[in-house]
Amino acid sequence: MAQPPDTVLSASPEETAAIRRAVRSTGEILVPYGRYSPAHASDAVDLFDLLANPRVSAALYTIPQPVTRSWVADWIKIHESEAETGDGLLLLARDDSGAATGFVDLQVWPERASAEFGGGIRAD
């Protein structure tokens, strides 16, 4: 997800700023099967546990196999930096008990009003 999209849009400076603000201000997102919120360093163990299950991560080309705790910690740090600039988000889903149920990896190109996303959900 390091390459910008082939279709190139040009966002106005106002639209670019609005997209960055929206990314930076993302908080909890409620969905019928849980809630998503931006991942932080404190989520590394739970995200690793989710991704260590090959039924979740094996088919995802952006996740190394085998996934390691240090890779997950670094991945979260990268996304925290991207969230600060409005260029990306890593969202972690949790169920009502607090267990990790899924993730969304969002790469944003605000100046192009474009984004790419991937993710996975718990195998159950």
Side-chain angles (χ1 to χ4, degrees), residues 85-103:
T85 63
D87 293 308
L89 283 170
L90 180 59
L91 300 167
L92 183 62
R94 294 183 181 278
D95 61 19
D96 290 336
S97 72
T101 60
F103 75 95

Side-chain angles (χ1 to χ4, degrees), residues 55-92:
R55 291 180 64 201
V56 175
S57 63
L60 303 174
Y61 69 90
T62 59
I63 308 297
Q65 295 299 318
V67 67
T68 64
R69 284 173 164 59
S70 63
W71 181 85
V72 170
D74 290 344
W75 195 44
I76 290 172
K77 284 180 194 173
I78 290 166
H79 281 80
E80 285 178 316
S81 294
E82 289 176 348
E84 288 176 12
T85 63
D87 293 308
L89 283 170
L90 180 59
L91 300 167
L92 183 62

Side-chain angles (χ1 to χ4, degrees), residues 97-114:
S97 72
T101 60
F103 75 95
V104 173
D105 178 3
L106 181 66
Q107 182 66 52
V108 182
W109 295 280
E111 67 283 352
R112 295 189 173 161
S114 300

